[in-house]
Amino acid sequence: MDEQALEMNKEEERITQYIVIKIDNEQYGIDIKYIDNIVRMEKITRVPKAQRYFKGVINLRGEVIPVMDLRVKFDMEEMKETKDTRIIILKLDKQSTVGIIVDAVREVVSLKETDMEKVAANAADSRTQYISVIGKHENELISIINIISLVSEEK
């Protein structure tokens, strides 16, 4: 291949931006196309008889948004909220909006397809069913969350 063809291949490689969040001591990435808003923790109104990971609803600018706790969804220990705790508002389509509680929001990173590795699903670990790939960024690993499988109700 000549230099011009190699240059075209590099330009064609798809780059996706992810927001990097922390849950416990682990980093997770969420495709930025799903991010509608990031808000500080606020009062959550409980909903009776909801799943344990479903914390309730919030009123954000007149819109009632269901909120889930990622720690609980990932079968991790619940933690008290801190000054870094955030609710990430995800816009799945024109009508579906959901909030997820995370320990902290770190940064936005751009990852190429070549920075990604498939992950083997482990039936014993509830987290792996929500992870699509592992991204490598500056010698750190970022588990990329499959948002659709995370918010779809499988149980």
Side-chain angles (χ1 to χ4, degrees):
M1 252 191 220
D2 64 350
E3 270 184 58
Q4 197 170 17
L6 280 171
E7 202 59 41
M8 281 179 59
N9 282 346
K10 285 181 187 171
E11 288 177 41
E12 289 174 7
E13 185 174 29
R14 214 179 85 217
I15 296 175
T16 306
Q17 287 189 309
Y18 297 92
I19 189 154
V20 178
I21 61 170
K22 289 210 45 130
I23 301 172
D24 206 17
N25 291 322
E26 298 177 37
Q27 294 188 116
Y28 295 89
I30 300 172
D31 191 327
I32 206 157
K33 74 180 179 186
Y34 294 112
I35 307 292
D36 184 56
N37 204 338
I38 299 171
V39 295
R40 292 189 186 278
M41 199 61 187
E42 56 183 75
K43 183 179 180 325
I44 297 174
T45 303
R46 295 277 313 150
V47 175
K49 298 189 179 183
Q51 299 90 335
R52 200 169 86 76
Y53 62 83
F54 179 65
K55 291 299 176 187
V57 294
I58 60 171
N59 182 346
L60 187 65
R61 295 185 296 279
E63 185 179 357
V64 176
I65 299 172
V67 177
M68 72 169 70
D69 187 332
L70 271 194
R71 284 179 151 274
V72 178
K73 183 85 173 184
F74 286 175
D75 287 330
M76 300 169 97
E77 183 181 327
E78 284 189 63
M79 195 173 95
K80 296 261 188 256
E81 78 180 63
T82 69
K83 64 178 179 53
D84 294 326
T85 305
R86 297 289 184 268
I87 300 174
I88 298 178
I89 309 300
L90 304 172
K91 200 65 130 179
L92 307 173
D93 55 42
K94 289 190 185 338
Q95 288 120 1
S96 299
T97 305
V98 66
I100 58 172
I101 301 170
V102 301
D103 293 354
V105 175
R106 289 205 43 216
E107 62 185 327
V108 174
V109 298
S110 298
L111 298 175
K112 297 180 263 180
E113 286 182 32
T114 54
D115 296 331
M116 305 290 193
E117 301 254 340
K118 288 277 184 218
V119 63
N122 177 359
D125 186 354
S126 63
R127 284 173 269 186
T128 58
Q129 66 184 334
Y130 306 121
I131 306 301
S132 54
V133 293
I134 303 290
K136 294 175 281 195
H137 181 259
E138 296 179 359
N139 297 324
E140 291 186 329
L141 298 178
I142 302 167
S143 300
I144 306 301
I145 297 175
N146 180 333
I147 292 300
I148 302 305
S149 71
L150 178 75
V151 298
S152 66
E153 193 48 57
E154 74 286 333
K155 295 180 182 174

